[in-house]
């Protein structure tokens, strides 16, 4: 009943477009869920704080009655930040059956261990297969980190908090011989029980532990890799005033120092023994503890195919308020735009997770519910309008209630009716907004006022794969006319690419840098016009 009330409130708010995301319940009945992971297939694996991992079918909401892994006998979860905290499946899990967990044991110390899938049942793990990779003493019960993830380089990354208490009293985050307050990077495919990646930044430094990848973290409660770019995103919990988001570009060679305890966010905290501010890597974004905010839960950059309006956003939330935000690059280099996506009743969202397709989920620690993060307009979409052209008069019979005609992707002042009489050469489209405030844009129509008539017989055009992710192949039925031109526009009608084909009948386009969304691919020549819509994931 609690969820039904929440969902009803959300729908009422969304009619006013007060929020842009919906939390759709997938399954309930979990006990203190702390992590969500996938193994490259259709299943989700839900980690429970007490030491259990359960399997969830996100398509049906069914929870496997047999627990995948139960190590509650060796997990210590008395403290609020203790327990089974992280799960990562080996990139070759389908073949080797290895997965890795991060937990605090009954003595309160961190263990990072490898377990194996049962040889007889893919839905059950062998609880007796533990291989301990790391044993790290914890001086206090809090700030255990706990997140583990495989990077695109195939190495296992381990996020460690500063050891706890408050203010890092032993200055462990800046201690180069301590694993605490660090990001660690391990080669789990070589060595016993692991190897040191030769590209780790401190392997030639006798004063720094070889396992360290980055320094100066307070409590990186959830980090993730952008599955499209490989960038590493970290939500680092603050002390008194500031929560921070750190981002390490995929091209980094490691060795960053993120500044704790010298700095909390961008503000000096304790500069005893610290170097100049330029020695430290600043966060890409911070937010304050005002308005009851208290602790960041780091999330993911959304790269799924279902929620187009969330594409490219780093989605995260505050543990105390339940406010969800989306962080995206700004218009200028090294700038960021942060938008509030939703203000949800506080269920202490402790973790986010992706499924194999990149769709995003969130775990409510206090209500035991797994939610899928949905864009409101993907659930209430506007119908893509159909535009007809009669000479220079453009018109639609599609329902509104709001219309906006666009020229080369830009709104035309005053052109807000169901028809528009064009007067300039360019690419026209129509944006329509429904009663829920959700918009859709028509295919583009090119009108030429230069006096050159356009024939109507199209050349046959094929594009594949569709949807595309990194490479788009374009084929025509025959060699194009010498004057053929390829044009690609985004969903708003803005030109992405123009290229003369010069008689070619085939070419390939690199689409990896294109933002996710719908595109209009058009070939225009003296023989006619042919167009296709393409979805970029």
């Amino acid at each position: 009943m609690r969820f039904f009330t929440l969902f009803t409130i959300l729908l009422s708010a969304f009619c006013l477009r007060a929020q842009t995301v919906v939390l759709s319940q997938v399954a309930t009945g979990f006990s203190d869920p702390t992590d969500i992971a996938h193994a490259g297939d259709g299943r989700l694996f839900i980690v429970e704080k007490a030491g259990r991992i359960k399997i969830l079918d996100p398509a049906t909401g069914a929870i496997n009655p047999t627990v995948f892994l139960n190590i509650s006998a060796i997990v210590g979860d008395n403290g609020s930040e203790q327990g089974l905290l992280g799960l990562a499946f080996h990139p070759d899990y389908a073949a080797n059956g290895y997965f890795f967990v991060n937990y605090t044991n009954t003595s309160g110390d961190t263990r990072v261990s490898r377990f194996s899938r049962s040889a007889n049942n893919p839905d059950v793990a062998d609880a007796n297969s533990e291989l301990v990779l790391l044993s790290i003493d914890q001086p206090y019960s809090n700030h255990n980190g706990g997140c583990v993830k495989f990077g695109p380089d195939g190495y296992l990354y381990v996020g460690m908090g500063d050891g706890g208490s408050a203010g890092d009293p032993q200055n462990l985050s800046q201690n180069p011989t301590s694993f605490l307050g660090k990001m660690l990077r391990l080669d789990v495919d070589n060595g016993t029980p692991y190897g040191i990646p030769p590209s780790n930044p401190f392997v030639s430094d006798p004063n720094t532990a070889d396992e360290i990848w980055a320094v100066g973290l307070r409590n990186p409660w959830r980090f993730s890799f952008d599955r499209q770019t490989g960038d590493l995103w970290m939500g680092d919990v603050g002390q008194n005033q500031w929560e921070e988001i750190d981002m390490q570009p995929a091209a980094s060679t490691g060795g960053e120092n993120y500044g704790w305890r010298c700095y909390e966010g961008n503000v000096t905290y304790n500069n005893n023994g610290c170097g100049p501010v330029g020695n430290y890597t600043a966060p890409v974004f911070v937010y304050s503890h005002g308005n009851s905010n208290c602790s960041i839960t780091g999330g993911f950059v959304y790269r799924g195919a279902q929620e187009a309006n969330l594409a490219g956003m780093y989605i995260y939330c505050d543990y105390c308020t339940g406010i969800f935000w989306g962080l995206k690059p700004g218009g200028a280099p090294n700038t960021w735009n942060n938008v509030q996506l939703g203000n949800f009743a506080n269920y202490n969202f402790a973790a986010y997770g992706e499924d194999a397709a990149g769709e995003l989920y969130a775990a409510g620690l206090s209500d035991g519910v797994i939610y899928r993060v949905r864009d409101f307009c993907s659930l209430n979409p506007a119908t893509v309008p159909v535009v007809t052209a009669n000479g220079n008069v453009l018109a639609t019979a599609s329902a509104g209630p709001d219309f906006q005609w666009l020229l080369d992707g830009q709104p035309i002042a005053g052109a807000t009716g169901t028809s528009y009489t064009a007067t300039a050469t360019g690419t026209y489209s129509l944006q329509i907004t429904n009663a829920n405030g959700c918009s859709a844009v028509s295919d583009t129509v090119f009108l030429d006022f230069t006096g050159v008539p356009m024939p109507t017989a199209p050349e046959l055009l094929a594009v594949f794969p569709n949807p595309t992710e990194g490479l788009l192949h374009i084929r025509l039925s025959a060699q194009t006319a010498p004057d053929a031109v390829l044009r690609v526009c985004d969903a708003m009608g803005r030109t992405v690419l123009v290229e003369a084909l010069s008689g070619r009948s085939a070419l390939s386009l690199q689409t990896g840098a294109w933002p996710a969304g719908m595109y209009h691919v058009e070939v225009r020549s003296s023989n006619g016009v042919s167009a296709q819509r393409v979805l970029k994931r």
Side-chain angles (χ1 to χ4, degrees):
M1 176 61 73
R2 175 167 52 184
F3 174 76
F4 176 80
T5 302
L6 170 62
F7 194 67
T8 303
I9 293 171
L10 293 181
L11 287 181
S12 299
F14 286 138
C15 291
L16 300 175
R17 300 299 288 123
Q19 304 188 173
T20 58
V21 297
V22 176
L23 296 184
S24 178
Q25 178 177 305
V26 178
T28 188
F30 293 98
S31 177
D32 295 330
T34 56
D35 202 7
I36 303 169
H38 71 84
D41 53 34
R43 300 172 296 174
L44 287 179
F45 293 77
I46 311 303
V47 177
E48 293 185 333
K49 184 174 182 288
R52 294 175 294 271
I53 300 174
K54 298 178 179 178
I55 296 176
L56 167 65
D57 181 348
T60 65
I63 303 170
N64 196 319
T66 302
V67 175
F68 176 70
L69 179 70
N70 187 346
I71 55 171
S72 55
I74 61 173
V75 171
D77 66 331
N78 290 332
S80 62
E81 299 180 28
Q82 295 177 326
L84 181 56
L85 304 176
L87 168 66
F89 288 89
H90 192 283
D92 199 22
Y93 174 77
N96 62 31
Y98 293 153
F99 62 96
F100 298 79
V101 298
N102 187 325
Y103 67 92
T104 53
N105 65 9
T106 54
S107 298
D109 297 323
T110 289
R111 296 291 181 269
V112 177
S113 294
R114 187 191 80 190
F115 284 85
S116 298
R117 180 184 60 218
S118 167
N120 301 316
N121 186 342
D123 287 340
V124 176
D126 181 357
N128 296 316
S129 64
E130 181 177 21
L131 172 67
V132 177
L133 274 66
L134 292 175
S135 297
I136 303 173
D137 292 342
Q138 293 284 0
Y140 305 97
S141 66
N142 58 335
H143 300 183
N144 297 300
C147 191
V148 286
K149 290 282 189 295
F150 278 93
D153 52 19
Y155 295 127
L156 181 68
Y157 289 70
V158 181
M160 294 300 303
D162 65 5
S165 187
D168 192 4
Q170 299 179 39
N171 199 21
L172 294 169
S173 286
Q174 295 297 323
N175 182 340
T177 64
S178 172
F179 287 167
L180 297 175
K182 312 297 192 300
M183 183 66 70
L184 309 178
R185 184 178 185 241
L186 312 177
D187 180 355
V188 299
D189 294 324
N190 297 284
T192 304
Y194 62 85
I196 302 297
S199 55
N200 272 13
F202 300 109
V203 291
S204 60
D205 183 349
N207 298 314
T208 303
D210 292 344
E211 291 87 345
I212 293 175
W213 177 252
V215 177
L217 298 170
R218 183 177 179 273
N219 192 31
W221 182 250
R222 300 305 173 231
F223 64 87
S224 64
F225 290 91
D226 183 335
R227 60 168 55 198
Q228 179 172 303
T229 67
D231 297 335
L232 171 59
W233 290 81
M234 295 166 278
D236 198 14
V237 179
Q239 176 65 47
N240 298 321
Q241 294 181 306
W242 297 100
E243 304 298 304
E244 75 176 64
I245 297 171
D246 299 307
M247 191 277 285
Q248 183 189 73
S252 170
T253 56
E256 286 88 347
N257 188 329
Y258 291 101
W260 176 253
R261 68 181 184 179
C262 300
Y263 293 90
E264 180 190 9
N266 293 310
V267 177
T268 299
Y269 181 79
N270 182 344
N271 61 7
N272 182 33
C274 298
V277 64
N279 289 3
Y280 306 95
T281 300
V284 296
F285 190 78
V286 298
Y287 71 90
S288 76
H289 282 192
N291 301 317
S292 301
N293 293 317
C294 78
S295 178
I296 188 172
T297 296
F300 286 78
V301 176
Y302 178 77
R303 298 297 185 186
Q306 301 289 321
E307 322 296 337
N309 289 334
L310 304 181
M313 283 188 178
Y314 176 69
I315 297 174
Y316 68 100
C317 73
D318 187 81
Y319 179 80
C320 290
T321 62
I323 296 176
F324 281 45
W325 288 281
L327 187 66
K328 291 190 72 171
N334 301 317
T335 62
W336 301 88
N337 293 329
N338 192 60
V339 295
Q340 183 170 314
L341 301 176
N343 189 344
F344 300 103
N346 178 28
Y347 292 125
N348 301 128
F349 296 101
Y352 291 94
E354 291 179 312
D355 63 19
E359 300 306 324
L360 188 63
Y361 299 79
L365 187 75
S366 60
D367 68 348
V369 174
I370 303 301
Y371 300 92
R372 182 171 163 191
V373 180
R374 305 296 310 272
D375 171 49
F376 173 75
C377 286
S378 72
L379 300 174
N380 300 273
T383 301
V384 176
V386 176
V387 172
T388 60
N390 184 8
N392 66 334
V393 178
L394 304 169
T396 186
S398 301
D402 297 321
F403 304 88
Q404 176 62 64
W405 292 93
L406 310 171
L407 173 58
D408 294 330
Q410 299 301 313
I412 303 170
T416 56
T418 56
S419 64
Y420 177 70
T421 301
T423 59
T425 296
T427 301
Y428 289 85
S429 56
L430 174 63
Q431 178 176 299
I432 192 169
T433 304
N434 65 17
N436 291 314
C438 299
S439 299
V441 179
S442 71
D443 280 337
T444 57
V445 176
F446 182 78
L447 295 181
D448 191 344
F449 288 85
T450 63
V452 179
M454 292 303 301
T456 57
E459 299 186 23
L460 297 179
L461 171 68
V463 294
F464 59 94
N466 191 4
T468 180
E469 291 187 355
L471 190 65
L472 179 67
H473 303 289
I474 298 175
R475 299 289 186 271
L476 287 107
S477 58
Q479 189 176 34
T480 58
D483 62 344
V485 174
L486 169 72
R487 180 190 296 269
V488 180
C489 300
D490 66 13
M492 296 296 291
R494 294 170 295 206
T495 299
V496 174
L497 172 72
V498 177
E499 183 172 338
L501 295 179
S502 303
R504 287 177 293 170
S505 61
L507 73 158
S508 298
L509 303 177
Q510 296 287 341
T511 64
W514 296 4
M518 193 66 68
Y519 290 82
H520 177 83
V521 179
E522 173 184 283
V523 173
R524 181 176 297 271
S525 74
S526 56
N527 292 337
V529 181
S530 185
Q532 295 284 350
R533 290 168 67 89
V534 176
L535 175 64
K536 167 60 170 56
R537 285 179 175 169

